Amino acid sequence: MTVVRSSKLSRRGFLQAGASGAAIAAAGLPGGAWGQAAGVNFTSWSAAVDQVKSHISAFEKATNLKVNYENFPWAQYRTSVVTRLVGNAPMDVLWVSDAWLPEFAEAGWLATIDDMPELTKYNAEAAPFCTQSMLYKGKQYGLAYYGDHMSFVYNTEILAKAGITTPPTTWAEVVQQSLKIKQAGVVEYPMLMALAIDTWLIEFMSAMVFSHGGRFVDAAGAAIMAEPGKGVIESATWIREAIHTHKIVAPGAIETSEINALKALGAGQHAFSIVPTYRLRALNDPTQAPAAGKLRPTLMPKGPNATASATCGWIRFYGMTPGAKANATRRANAVKFMEFFGGKDTGGNYTLQKLLLTDVGLPFCTTPLSNDAEVKAFWTRWAGGGDVIAQQAATAVKKDVIAPWFGEWNETANAAWQSIFLNRATPQAAAASMAAKWKELRGS
């Protein structure tokens, strides 16, 4: 599931470009006629469309409420939604990326749900990082339908050829085992990393930092990324040495995108990698990957200062518009919809979350589902079991750099990462540049 971080169309920029009504007309929207029917106006990107439509039919049958469903390709989704939000189109519920939450909340495009116990009651059965990813300035803005995290994956066949019986538990062991594999002539670059500047880089680097026991910012949002012992310098140093000193990561990693890394891992060319968990199904599908059945997740290796095998988690969630919340009927309908889709349906089951996993491989936030027999069977088939995945989800950490200025800061961070990977700057200097940009944008 692709993730967009930078804000290409801000509320300020939109308003500067022209009046909202004119903008809607320019976008070709039907304006006031759109979505006036009673029920729920639901907007999403065009993912899992068949599963969503199936659940909409079930919702309409169970509640007698009509759902006006529209979806847009991911590449156009954010612009389309912002156009509607700025123009006060009659939207009720929409899919939201956690990366957009600060800007959407600051712009007043999302309503808080803290006063809706029908929805917040599901926090008790959600992985902590999921609920935390829906909080902004202490307020909750939605209910998740998808929650994922970065998994550390190893190739059982390659480890066996090198005489290694158990996967690494620390980053030091990753180096040791990689050197053993390399010296045995099994593969030249055992550790595979996707370090190209693309939308996944922040998740990769956050997973590295969190697994080293660190953070980019403190609890108040102040930058600590340049401080020794806080994870950023240590994880960056590990990668730089992996490329240039130990030579266990290919120099071409800096140009390797996430999708190309998946192809190489699936081809059986590497012993270790970090992948989004939802990719495990494709990686272990023999029709898609020659190494299928040999790629297994294990807990994220720990850095020397880490006390747990932490990783980076992210979510997508249902958000309610302020317009829907302000109208009693629309609010009631939207709450029913969000509970049916992001919580339990009227039968008391997490039906859609389970369907999204078993049909398209999307992990969930709902912890009780990990014990479901069909969920267990799914993970057994595609990952050799679900215990590690559930355990890793429990220690996942939300991205702590998500802020209204995230897109602008991330441009500086990407340049800093590249300078480290190319050995053109020290981790300390590059981290200092990231911290300076953060402080500039934050105002302190």
Side-chain angles (χ1 to χ4, degrees):
M1 175 162 288
T2 309
V3 181
V4 169
R5 281 86 183 169
S6 62
S7 300
K8 298 301 183 185
L9 180 59
S10 67
R11 183 173 186 269
R12 178 187 299 175
F14 191 96
L15 293 174
Q16 288 174 340
S20 58
I24 288 178
L29 304 183
W34 181 74
Q36 291 300 307
V40 180
N41 297 311
F42 170 52
T43 307
S44 77
W45 49 83
S46 48
V49 172
D50 291 342
Q51 289 75 22
V52 171
K53 285 183 176 178
S54 172
H55 210 54
I56 285 175
S57 296
F59 174 77
E60 291 178 335
K61 183 177 181 180
T63 64
N64 289 321
L65 291 172
K66 174 68 175 176
V67 177
N68 302 309
Y69 172 48
E70 63 174 358
N71 62 75
F72 302 94
W74 172 262
Q76 288 82 47
Y77 178 75
R78 190 177 181 285
T79 298
S80 300
V81 164
V82 170
T83 299
R84 284 160 170 73
L85 291 168
V86 172
N88 293 319
M91 301 172 67
D92 296 320
V93 179
L94 66 156
W95 278 0
V96 184
S97 167
D98 54 357
W100 306 335
L101 176 57
E103 184 186 5
F104 277 38
E106 290 286 351
W109 293 334
L110 289 178
T112 62
I113 66 163
D114 297 282
D115 54 348
M116 302 175 188
E118 308 96 317
L119 304 181
T120 56
K121 67 183 180 184
Y122 292 103
N123 293 347
E125 295 190 339
F129 81 91
C130 291
T131 302
Q132 292 162 6
S133 296
M134 294 181 288
L135 297 177
Y136 181 67
K137 294 185 176 179
K139 301 290 186 181
Q140 185 169 340
Y141 283 86
L143 200 59
Y145 74 91
Y146 159 65
D148 208 344
H149 61 266
M150 284 294 178
S151 285
F152 187 84
V153 176
Y154 65 100
N155 184 310
T156 57
E157 183 177 63
I158 291 177
L159 265 62
K161 285 181 178 178
I164 299 170
T165 57
T166 57
T169 60
T170 67
W171 286 109
E173 289 181 2
V174 174
V175 173
Q176 294 165 8
Q177 293 192 5
S178 294
L179 290 174
K180 186 173 183 179
I181 292 167
K182 186 179 178 76
Q183 290 161 2
V186 182
V187 295
E188 184 174 5
Y189 298 111
M191 182 70 197
L192 172 64
M193 304 197 82
L195 301 178
I197 297 178
D198 74 5
T199 55
W200 282 110
L201 185 57
I202 186 61
E203 270 86 12
F204 286 124
M205 294 312 304
S206 293
M208 289 294 297
V209 172
F210 299 161
S211 71
H212 277 78
R215 297 290 186 274
F216 289 89
V217 301
D218 64 15
I224 58 173
M225 56 194 81
E227 298 179 16
K230 300 298 185 183
V232 174
I233 291 174
E234 289 74 18
S235 57
T237 299
W238 189 94
I239 294 174
R240 186 178 68 161
E241 292 180 349
I243 298 172
H244 299 285
T245 303
H246 307 304
K247 303 185 188 305
I248 59 174
V249 172
I254 195 169
E255 298 177 347
T256 301
S257 66
E258 187 262 353
I259 191 65
N260 286 335
L262 286 174
K263 293 176 182 176
L265 185 64
Q269 298 172 359
H270 301 273
F272 309 114
S273 193
I274 300 172
V275 303
T277 302
Y278 85 94
R279 298 291 200 184
L280 287 172
R281 175 175 174 170
L283 286 170
N284 284 296
D285 182 347
T287 67
Q288 302 185 56
K294 303 166 187 171
L295 299 170
R296 294 291 181 254
T298 188
L299 292 178
M300 190 69 69
K302 293 186 291 187
N305 298 325
T307 58
S309 297
T311 188
C312 173
W314 62 92
I315 66 160
R316 303 291 179 264
F317 65 91
Y318 295 92
M320 183 186 300
T321 64
K325 185 174 182 178
N327 178 287
T329 299
R330 289 173 62 190
R331 168 179 168 148
N333 293 346
V335 167
K336 289 178 182 177
F337 182 90
M338 290 174 66
E339 180 173 15
F340 196 90
F341 280 70
K344 294 179 178 177
D345 60 20
T346 52
N349 302 306
Y350 289 108
T351 301
L352 184 60
Q353 296 91 328
K354 182 175 171 181
L355 186 65
L356 290 177
L357 176 75
T358 56
D359 267 21
V360 294
L362 295 181
F364 43 73
C365 290
T366 310
T367 54
L369 267 184
S370 296
N371 298 317
D372 181 274
E374 292 182 51
V375 169
K376 285 180 173 289
F378 174 89
W379 284 125
T380 297
R381 179 180 181 186
W382 300 113
D387 290 346
V388 168
I389 293 169
Q391 189 176 349
Q392 189 70 85
T395 58
V397 178
K398 65 170 282 187
K399 296 187 294 290
D400 59 353
V401 291
I402 298 302
W405 53 84
F406 167 70
E408 189 172 349
W409 172 81
N410 202 36
E411 292 179 5
T412 296
N414 284 339
W417 296 129
Q418 294 280 298
S419 67
I420 297 170
F421 305 152
L422 289 168
N423 213 14
R424 293 174 178 168
T426 65
Q428 291 81 0
S433 70
M434 295 184 210
K437 188 65 176 179
W438 185 271
K439 292 175 182 177
E440 172 195 330
L441 295 169
R442 184 172 181 260
S444 64

